[in-house]
Amino acid sequence: MSLSRLGGVLKFDSVKVSQCSALVAKLWGPCIREVSTSSSNRAVAQHNSKPDWNRAVSEAEKIVGYPTSFLSLRWVLSDEIANVALHLRKLVGSNHPLLKTAKNLIYNGKNNMQAWGLIVLLVSKAAGHSPEIPDMEQDKAAGVLHSQRALAEVTEMIRTSHLVHKGLVNMNTRLGPGEPDDMMFGNKIALLSGDYLLANSCTELANLRNQELVELMSSAVRDLAEAEFLGERDEQNNPLPSRPLPLHQREEASEWDCILSPLPMSGVSGCMGREWSARHVLAAGALLGKSCSAALKLAGHGQGLQTQGYLFGCHLALAWQAFLDLEAFSGPEPAYFSLVGAPLAFTLEERPELYRYIEAGKRSVHDVDYHALYQAVLEGSGIEQTKHLQNEHVTRAREVLEAFPNCDARTALTNIIVAMLP
Amino acid sequence: MACLSSSRLCARVQDKLMCQFGQKVRRQTLFVKLKPPGPSPLRIFGKTCQRVTTCGPACGTSGTTVTGAARRLASSMQSTSTGSLPDYGTQMVDPYRLLEDDLNGIYEDIRSSNRESLRITRPWIKELERNTNQPELNTIATYYFDGQGKALRPMVAILTAKAINYHVYGENSALLPSQRQVAMISEMIHSASLIHDDVIDQSDFRRGKPSVNVLWNHKKVCIGIECLGNKTNCSIWVAMAGDFILAVASMMIARLRSDEVTLVLSQVVTDLVQGEFMQLGSKETENERFAHYLTKTYRKTASLFANSVKAVALLSGADEATCELAFQYGRNLGLSFQLVDDLLDFVSSSHGMGKPTAADLRLGLATAPVLFACEKYPELNPMIMRRFQDAGDVEKAFELVHKSRGLEQTRFLARKHGLEAARLASELADSPYQKALVVTTDLVLNRIK
């Protein structure tokens, strides 16, 4: 949501106060609007069958007060973001991916970033907190601690920062005439905006005065950076799966029970399923898991529950990823889809000869014959296996939830998870 | 926040003072010009500096040259109440030599070299390498830590740590492992920001070697560590490597388990980014512009010096006044360092500096020499506003800066901060480290690259 306000700030010259309320309305706009349109559309079809995603999210938001303090006015009024907004205007019309990232942050429906902070807050509320925590530090109305709210904000800032940095354009790839200047400028703004978010999360974390927490969350930032280096890449750093190896050529896989040290990579390359997990643990699971774990730490829960929190976040993120991967195969055939999605990973595992299609994308993923791969996925058992994988992660995540007392926050989390199931 | 606003205030005061300074500078230049061979004052300092850096601690003669110069400076500035320098005459201390043992491991520690022997002889944490299982990330992230940099920040941090430990605990004090960590962290934060600057500036050279970006663009083999083949995902990878270094540095900070130190060092990161944002814009009026420049300089450069030095002071358990003294020492040293840097951008050849001359102008940045030159040549104003983008702007501005007193004035301001840092350092208990802190201010002022 960092950049969601940019749209509003572009008209910065008018009175600030009225801008604020307009901005807040704008920020709230997307989720409210989506809920009202999509849920009314689907209400008929899905009446009482199972919770709708958007409804599950918006109900959950009510439970913890408001999504996160990320939308605070302090944020809306910061000089740096106003600055970015002014510069971003110059990019309109170019096709720098920063614009797309900014747009996605606002409108990206189910991949909505807001949900990340929301889940941290729901976990916080569901687990409750130790009775020793003074009243001053609690947000009684929402049932979470102020520190947990700050943490949820940090989670979103870290994630947004990563997305923004990921959207940098490689200057040495083939660009059209006049594009380099735009791209250069876009890169500069993207880099600075991401750095700004990262610096802010450093300060926010430092203010929590809990060094174990700082270490844990910093390791999540490290994991996100690592994720961008995993496996094969095309020239624009779009990920490609590694070549599937026959079983006897694979390295022995190591345990992944470490949280603070980096994820071991042995046995990842060539093993499609494991590569999928490693990629998404680093790119998503680590941050969500560590944030949930950190939220429980702030509430004074023991190490055991903190670990459960980590597992919950990780499994939820993976289930979520599997769900997103499946979306490409649930509607009409898309022009492009993720080459590192689970359905394709399982298909490649079954039919390693399909890897020749992937090799065609070494320069750019756009050179890949998506149609052929799409057909191959539909013919094989990739989709079935992905659903199975998703179920597995959902089950594991729900198991963790069982440990929490029955309350509205737990129900909300369950609803979000169930809404994801196919 | 307090320090920021005070620096802003200070910037404004300095801005006003500069007019008075201007005249004194003129008198001083006259003095230099009357001397027989008549080289420019900068040349004098350049030569002295060379001698200082090449000789060991036992170099009495050149030591006195510097001291002489410093004393001359001090006397010429006495009217501005900077106080007189302590007479360290023959006891010239080379800070790098003094800390040889402490500094040697710094780069290896950060970079965690592959050599097994280093692992054994340097038992401290091989941070970056330990923190990734991705070979390319390891290569990019460790690219800058090749031991060729000046390691000025860790040097100052360790020196201050030792001087303050001595100040607080006397003879039997030793460098704390946590203070050493802060020294490493300061260099890591600095490198992370350099790496990100590379994405932004696309500057071709850093520290005399091709910047990461260029290197990856040109698919060069990476300085013998390892060839990355045709993988050229430069911008994203470089940005990620910066994030990675920052993350590892944050983890190290957190492991010191000190709330205060974490707060102080996180302030550095915020300052760096805010400084970068300030660099995007400029101010309309001259007065505002100079204050803007000084605040930016504090945030982009001096904050790291000031806060890392403050962090080691906090770790030593010094009282609040001493921590503040350390902070101000770092702040003044950092400002002086950056002012000299901005000055060298106009006088140093691309060879000596490791950076093309007038690189700042080419990046559209108006630094102190230009801002000073503006007083005499108002035609620089529109050029500053359009960030020297029109054809011939850079050359014209370069020429005007050399015709004006901009360079002298910048040198004067740098000296003023250097002397203030030296004065602050001399308030600490007398020790070789304390002396080295004073010498460091000279090294920073008189460096040629």
Side-chain angles (χ1 to χ4, degrees):
Chain A
M1 276 50 39
S2 63
L3 301 167
S4 62
R5 52 180 299 263
L6 297 180
V9 187
L10 290 179
K11 300 167 281 177
F12 202 64
D13 42 357
S14 53
V15 188
K16 272 189 177 177
V17 181
S18 65
Q19 271 304 322
C20 289
S21 47
L23 279 171
V24 173
K26 210 169 182 109
L27 291 169
W28 281 89
C31 46
I32 295 169
R33 190 163 48 243
E34 248 174 64
V35 170
S36 58
T37 54
S38 60
S39 61
S40 60
N41 287 347
R42 288 185 208 169
V44 189
Q46 299 190 335
H47 195 65
N48 283 342
S49 59
K50 67 187 180 70
D52 166 75
W53 168 272
N54 288 307
R55 187 183 295 168
V57 168
S58 77
E59 290 293 322
E61 279 172 351
K62 283 179 208 149
I63 290 172
V64 285
Y66 48 89
T68 64
S69 53
F70 198 20
L71 307 178
S72 62
L73 287 180
R74 171 170 60 82
W75 234 91
V76 172
L77 290 177
S78 97
D79 279 355
E80 281 76 15
I81 288 302
N83 211 337
V84 169
L86 287 172
H87 289 293
L88 202 59
R89 178 160 49 178
K90 296 183 201 156
L91 279 181
V92 174
S94 79
N95 48 20
H96 195 282
L98 177 60
L99 290 171
K100 209 174 123 201
T101 313
K103 203 186 94 196
N104 280 348
L105 290 174
I106 316 173
Y107 295 113
N108 202 14
K110 288 175 187 171
N111 202 7
N112 200 325
M113 292 319 126
Q114 249 161 317
W116 285 63
L118 178 63
I119 282 166
V120 175
L121 288 180
L122 287 172
V123 167
S124 305
K125 189 171 183 185
H129 51 76
S130 122
E132 286 156 29
I133 290 174
D135 282 5
M136 275 286 286
E137 292 170 21
Q138 300 176 24
D139 180 346
K140 291 263 185 191
V144 296
L145 306 178
H146 293 304
S147 58
Q148 290 173 324
R149 207 180 275 292
L151 174 75
E153 184 177 326
V154 167
T155 306
E156 294 193 352
M157 284 198 284
I158 292 177
R159 179 153 173 82
T160 311
S161 149
H162 179 72
L163 283 174
V164 170
H165 278 175
K166 230 170 94 167
L168 290 174
V169 175
N170 247 345
M171 294 307 296
N172 59 338
T173 47
R174 292 138 200 85
L175 295 171
E179 274 193 321
D181 284 349
D182 281 344
M183 294 300 149
M184 201 59 204
F185 187 75
N187 274 359
K188 188 169 179 168
I189 299 301
L191 193 85
L192 281 181
S193 318
D195 283 353
Y196 176 76
L197 291 169
L198 214 50
N200 262 292
S201 43
C202 277
T203 313
E204 287 272 306
L205 281 175
N207 281 323
L208 293 178
R209 294 177 176 267
N210 183 331
Q211 301 311 313
E212 284 178 28
L213 190 110
V214 174
E215 191 179 359
L216 187 64
M217 295 305 289
S218 305
S219 76
V221 176
R222 176 205 62 197
D223 293 340
L224 288 175
E226 268 212 294
E228 290 312 301
F229 290 83
L230 190 148
E232 304 280 325
R233 304 269 154 176
D234 78 347
E235 284 184 7
Q236 194 45 56
N237 210 36
N238 292 306
L240 300 169
S242 62
R243 179 185 295 281
L245 291 175
L247 278 176
H248 66 274
Q249 282 183 22
R250 290 179 187 171
E251 288 175 291
E252 202 177 322
S254 50
E255 287 293 321
W256 281 354
D257 52 5
C258 43
I259 294 188
L260 280 179
S261 35
L263 200 69
M265 283 296 122
S266 57
V268 165
S269 180
C271 174
M272 298 291 103
R274 201 172 167 81
E275 187 176 59
W276 182 87
S277 305
R279 188 185 304 279
H280 297 297
V281 164
L282 285 178
L287 179 59
L288 192 57
K290 286 170 185 182
S291 302
C292 292
S293 175
L296 299 176
K297 192 193 286 289
L298 283 172
H301 292 295
Q303 193 60 49
L305 198 61
Q306 288 176 32
T307 310
Q308 289 300 305
Y310 172 74
L311 290 175
F312 172 78
C314 251
H315 285 299
L316 181 57
L318 292 180
W320 202 327
Q321 188 58 47
F323 167 73
L324 292 172
D325 288 352
L326 279 172
E327 271 199 323
F329 297 93
S330 55
E333 185 180 335
Y336 303 109
F337 53 90
S338 167
L339 293 178
V340 292
L344 184 58
F346 286 121
T347 311
L348 282 170
E349 184 90 59
E350 280 176 343
R351 298 172 56 192
E353 77 277 7
L354 289 173
Y355 196 71
R356 67 172 193 278
Y357 289 111
I358 302 292
E359 280 179 314
K362 289 264 177 200
R363 194 183 69 79
S364 163
V365 286
H366 298 299
D367 300 338
V368 169
D369 183 350
Y370 283 88
H371 180 70
L373 286 173
Y374 189 82
Q375 289 303 325
V377 170
L378 291 186
E379 286 159 16
S381 66
I383 293 177
E384 219 33 61
Q385 289 190 61
T386 307
K387 284 180 180 164
H388 182 72
L389 177 78
Q390 192 198 356
N391 251 317
E392 212 171 293
H393 286 299
V394 163
T395 313
R396 298 287 294 278
R398 289 186 72 171
E399 275 168 20
V400 177
L401 280 187
E402 298 301 316
F404 296 144
N406 194 0
C407 63
D408 54 353
R410 194 184 89 170
T411 314
L413 280 171
T414 314
N415 285 344
I416 288 179
I417 296 174
V418 171
M420 227 167 18
L421 282 174
Chain B
M1 255 358 256
C3 66
L4 281 188
S5 52
S6 75
S7 96
R8 236 181 240 149
L9 191 73
C10 168
R12 249 175 243 137
V13 174
Q14 272 159 353
D15 202 23
K16 283 190 186 130
L17 280 178
M18 277 323 289
C19 323
Q20 307 163 19
F21 287 167
Q23 305 193 334
K24 277 170 202 135
V25 170
R26 211 173 302 147
R27 232 174 287 145
Q28 194 203 342
T29 338
L30 200 67
F31 167 65
V32 173
K33 273 185 186 154
L34 287 174
K35 294 202 75 149
S40 77
L42 190 90
R43 198 59 69 62
I44 292 181
F45 284 112
K47 273 188 188 153
T48 340
C49 172
Q50 255 169 342
R51 252 181 274 157
V52 170
T53 45
T54 47
C55 71
C59 54
T61 45
S62 67
T64 39
T65 319
V66 173
T67 327
R71 216 180 284 135
R72 215 173 30 242
L73 251 171
S75 62
S76 78
M77 289 186 61
Q78 247 158 16
S79 51
T80 60
S81 77
T82 42
S84 58
L85 284 174
D87 190 6
Y88 43 83
T90 50
Q91 298 181 351
M92 203 54 200
V93 196
D94 179 343
Y96 283 98
R97 193 57 74 88
L98 188 65
L99 297 182
E100 206 161 27
D101 289 342
D102 296 301
L103 282 172
N104 262 347
I106 285 279
Y107 276 112
E108 284 84 350
D109 283 357
I110 297 173
R111 181 188 176 138
S112 89
S113 159
N114 282 316
R115 277 170 295 160
E116 207 49 41
S117 60
L118 273 173
R119 280 176 195 283
I120 298 158
T121 54
R122 312 255 173 232
W124 31 75
I125 321 152
K126 311 297 178 201
E127 281 305 330
L128 289 174
E129 187 179 77
R130 229 188 51 161
N131 269 294
T132 178
N133 291 319
Q134 308 296 334
E136 289 96 347
L137 175 55
N138 191 9
T139 308
I140 301 179
T142 55
Y143 177 69
Y144 276 121
F145 302 106
D146 63 347
Q148 283 173 18
K150 290 185 288 288
L152 182 64
R153 290 156 188 85
M155 191 272 272
V156 170
I158 292 182
L159 213 48
T160 315
K162 290 195 154 191
I164 287 184
N165 290 353
Y166 193 98
H167 181 75
V168 180
Y169 303 103
E171 199 99 21
N172 297 323
S173 57
L175 183 69
L176 300 172
S178 57
Q179 292 174 323
R180 197 170 188 289
Q181 291 281 313
V182 170
M184 277 167 65
I185 291 163
S186 70
E187 189 67 2
M188 290 170 81
I189 295 179
H190 172 60
S191 290
S193 83
L194 278 188
I195 287 181
H196 277 192
D197 278 357
D198 276 350
V199 181
I200 293 177
D201 298 346
Q202 301 276 308
S203 68
D204 287 352
F205 286 92
R206 284 266 172 215
R207 291 183 176 178
K209 59 198 257 181
S211 70
V212 174
N213 235 326
V214 171
L215 193 86
W216 260 261
N217 271 334
H218 295 181
K219 305 183 184 181
K220 279 184 194 162
V221 178
C222 182
I223 45 161
I225 305 174
E226 169 173 19
C227 177
L228 288 185
N230 61 354
K231 295 192 174 178
T232 52
N233 310 288
C234 64
S235 298
I236 299 170
W237 273 11
V238 173
M240 289 297 162
D243 293 357
F244 170 77
I245 296 177
L246 182 65
V248 175
S250 302
M251 290 176 75
M252 290 166 70
I253 296 171
R255 280 199 291 269
L256 300 178
R257 296 289 188 260
S258 159
D259 292 350
E260 289 306 313
V261 169
T262 305
L263 280 164
V264 163
L265 292 176
S266 71
Q267 182 63 47
V268 175
V269 182
T270 308
D271 283 341
L272 281 171
V273 178
Q274 286 186 333
E276 205 66 59
F277 269 106
M278 290 182 78
Q279 198 159 292
L280 279 182
S282 57
K283 295 282 177 230
E284 296 280 344
T285 67
E286 270 176 59
N287 264 354
E288 266 189 327
R289 211 183 276 149
F290 206 85
H292 188 263
Y293 165 78
L294 281 175
T295 312
K296 186 205 80 182
T297 305
Y298 167 74
R299 289 182 177 168
K300 280 202 69 176
T301 312
S303 169
L304 179 53
F305 279 97
N307 285 303
S308 56
V309 158
K310 183 179 176 183
V312 295
L314 284 168
L315 286 168
S316 80
D319 59 19
E320 208 173 307
T322 313
C323 291
E324 178 60 19
L325 183 139
F327 176 88
Q328 290 301 340
Y329 171 82
R331 182 180 151 271
N332 279 292
L333 186 75
L335 288 174
S336 143
F337 176 85
Q338 189 56 49
L339 285 162
V340 173
D341 213 49
D342 293 344
L343 176 76
L344 289 175
D345 197 42
F346 282 89
V347 292
S348 168
S349 73
S350 57
H351 214 71
M353 182 67 179
K355 201 178 174 188
T357 305
D360 288 335
L361 284 181
R362 283 175 220 286
L363 288 172
L365 305 177
T367 53
V370 185
L371 296 176
F372 282 127
C374 233
E375 287 167 20
K376 193 170 173 193
Y377 300 105
E379 60 263 45
L380 278 166
N381 277 317
M383 288 190 219
I384 294 174
M385 290 315 290
R386 61 173 182 258
R387 300 179 78 88
F388 312 104
Q389 268 178 350
D390 287 5
D393 275 2
V394 171
E395 292 72 19
K396 183 74 187 157
F398 189 81
E399 188 197 324
L400 289 177
V401 165
H402 278 273
K403 273 164 77 180
S404 74
R405 293 183 296 109
L407 295 176
E408 289 161 43
Q409 283 169 301
T410 308
R411 201 174 308 131
F412 189 84
L413 189 57
R415 225 177 263 156
K416 186 179 150 289
H417 285 293
L419 286 171
E420 175 63 10
R423 184 189 69 76
L424 288 161
S426 63
E427 282 181 22
L428 291 174
D430 195 40
S431 72
Y433 310 110
Q434 175 261 342
K435 284 200 181 63
L437 280 180
V438 177
V439 174
T440 304
T441 63
D442 272 346
L443 282 184
V444 162
L445 272 177
N446 298 326
R447 72 207 168 96
I448 50 163
K449 62 176 208 171

